[in-house]
Amino acid sequence: MHDGYRESKLSWVEMLRDVKGRGLTHLPALAVGDGALGFWAALRDECPTTREQRCWVHKTANILDKMPKGVQSKAKAMIHDMYMAETKKDALKAYEEFLALYDAKFPRLCLPA
């Protein structure tokens, strides 16, 4: 563990290079993170084959934060239905249901999959 520089790209590049220098021989297949743009930019440079996935906890919190309190519990349950789905088909169905309910009122939160 070491200190970074405010989640900057440079800080993440240094961390990824340090891990490689200490023996990482296979690049990660998947990286999961929050919305820190520096991390994703560094990952693309240092681990170009690594797939990216946004952390569902952070994504859910960001979505709910932009919704009125009165709809948050239902929206949260619907988001959980997406990421807890057994199959991709079930997840997409849950996503479509979320869009059907919330896209008209919250179009900025309902981006294409």
Side-chain angles (χ1 to χ4, degrees):
M1 181 184 314
H2 59 85
D3 289 333
Y5 310 104
R6 306 169 105 216
E7 296 197 30
S8 69
K9 177 181 175 182
L10 178 60
S11 180
W12 284 108
V13 165
E14 289 175 358
M15 187 277 300
L16 291 168
R17 287 181 181 167
D18 179 59
V19 171
K20 287 179 183 178
R22 290 185 289 122
L24 179 70
T25 56
H26 299 291
L27 296 179
L30 176 69
V32 178
D34 64 7
L37 300 178
F39 171 68
W40 299 118
L43 185 73
R44 289 179 198 119
D45 287 352
E46 296 298 316
C47 305
T49 59
T50 300
R51 294 177 57 208
E52 301 173 13
Q53 179 176 313
R54 183 78 185 274
C55 169
W56 276 99
V57 171
H58 285 90
K59 184 67 173 172
T60 301
N62 291 341
I63 290 170
L64 297 177
D65 188 50
K66 292 171 180 61
M67 299 178 100
K69 297 281 186 214
V71 299
Q72 287 183 5
S73 63
K74 180 159 178 77
K76 183 177 182 180
M78 293 180 82
I79 293 168
H80 286 181
D81 289 344
M82 289 180 228
Y83 74 79
M84 298 296 289
E86 297 251 345
T87 66
K88 183 176 180 177
K89 181 180 176 183
D90 292 340
L92 290 172
K93 181 177 183 264
Y95 176 67
E96 292 298 327
E97 291 171 358
F98 184 89
L99 289 181
L101 189 58
Y102 295 116
D103 191 35
K105 284 192 172 188
F106 309 104
R108 290 187 57 216
L109 301 178
C110 299
L111 301 175

